[in-house]
Amino acid sequence: MGRGLIIVLVAALGFATAAYGQTAAPPSRFAGWTSAIIAADWRDGANHPIEAFDNARRDLVTGFLAAGFSRANMVDYSLRPDVPQPVSASAALDGINAAAARGTSGCLLYFTSHGAPDAMVFGVAPRMTPDIMANIVRTACGTRPTVVVVSACYSGIFLNALAAPNRMVLTAASRERTSFGCGADETYPWFDGCIIETLPSASDFLALAAGARACVARKEVERGVSPASEPQLFVGAEMQLRLPTLRFQRSSP
């Protein structure tokens, strides 16, 4: 009787363990990361309202969640003022810092906006210069492994200010070039669309950058636009070693 009970219990435990092994996924490498996705403009070149930046923000959130980032440590904001409860630039920065206090393993900061040769539009606030962005990243992320993506015309101006051993920086264009796709007839800015297109198959941030840059080049050739935007990539010495180990989470087939 006692031996039979032991056998039953062992069998039940084995079944439960097998079932757990079939359903439990390993924790994502990005579960403890802070992530923030900011649509910092809402207009086309003629100052008319468009949806492309907000479309990108929404679908970038979906893409990065699928890659293993945690919604608990993720914030996303639209800085457009023509909504019932607009979010100010300062409120968005407060939200980034609050998220950074929760997710302390690393940082992903993604900005999509219009850019100029010396700054980027950041809502209705004064424009964001490279020095201002560098201070934002330093305050929120410190020495954590950090990925910063800046999708805007002339966004290469941010590269030098953001460069650090613990960072990867990806920009939609060089400091002398515009990027494309910020019109009323576009679903996303082209660079953002290429990130969204590449995310489901990219294994890590290095593959994501390579795929997005190739996608942008293809779109520019197909549409016959020039000069090319020339997206830029910087990877610090620490991140060169770390990034290959930070693989995106993928669902089992």
Side-chain angles (χ1 to χ4, degrees), residues 77-170:
Y77 299 108
S78 170
L79 301 188
R80 64 187 308 147
D82 57 345
V83 293
Q85 294 181 311
V87 176
S88 67
S90 61
L93 296 180
D94 288 344
I96 291 173
N97 289 328
R102 298 191 300 271
T104 58
S105 298
C107 279
L108 166 64
L109 303 181
Y110 194 118
F111 303 92
T112 179
S113 187
H114 278 299
D118 60 347
M120 182 185 76
V121 174
F122 200 68
V124 296
R127 294 190 173 194
M128 184 177 291
T129 64
D131 287 345
I132 292 174
M133 185 179 288
N135 188 55
I136 290 168
V137 175
R138 188 182 308 112
T139 299
C141 302
T143 59
R144 306 172 197 175
T146 299
V147 176
V148 184
V149 184
V150 188
S151 175
C153 293
Y154 309 105
S155 46
I157 63 171
F158 294 97
L159 211 65
N160 288 343
L162 295 176
N166 64 310
R167 294 182 191 157
M168 168 181 158
V169 184
L170 178 62

Side-chain angles (χ1 to χ4, degrees), residues 136-248:
I136 290 168
V137 175
R138 188 182 308 112
T139 299
C141 302
T143 59
R144 306 172 197 175
T146 299
V147 176
V148 184
V149 184
V150 188
S151 175
C153 293
Y154 309 105
S155 46
I157 63 171
F158 294 97
L159 211 65
N160 288 343
L162 295 176
N166 64 310
R167 294 182 191 157
M168 168 181 158
V169 184
L170 178 62
T171 71
S174 71
R175 63 185 307 115
E176 300 90 7
R177 300 290 178 88
T178 61
S179 55
F180 301 97
C182 301
D185 57 342
E186 300 284 354
T187 303
Y188 316 111
W190 290 2
F191 179 83
D192 296 332
C194 284
I195 292 285
I196 292 165
E197 177 182 314
T198 306
L199 253 175
S201 59
S203 57
D204 54 33
F205 273 112
L206 292 174
L208 179 62
R213 295 167 86 185
C215 171
V216 168
R218 184 187 75 243
K219 282 181 179 290
E220 291 174 344
V221 170
E222 290 173 351
R223 305 285 186 95
V225 299
S226 64
S229 55
E230 297 182 345
Q232 300 292 298
L233 175 65
F234 167 85
V235 182
E238 293 176 16
M239 289 296 272
Q240 290 178 22
L241 299 175
R242 188 184 295 268
L243 281 173
T245 72
L246 293 172
R247 299 180 66 81
F248 294 141

Side-chain angles (χ1 to χ4, degrees), residues 41-53 80-82 182-185:
D41 204 352
W42 62 97
R43 300 160 292 189
D44 62 13
N47 213 36
H48 299 139
I50 60 172
E51 298 299 324
F53 296 111
R80 64 187 308 147
D82 57 345
C182 301
D185 57 342

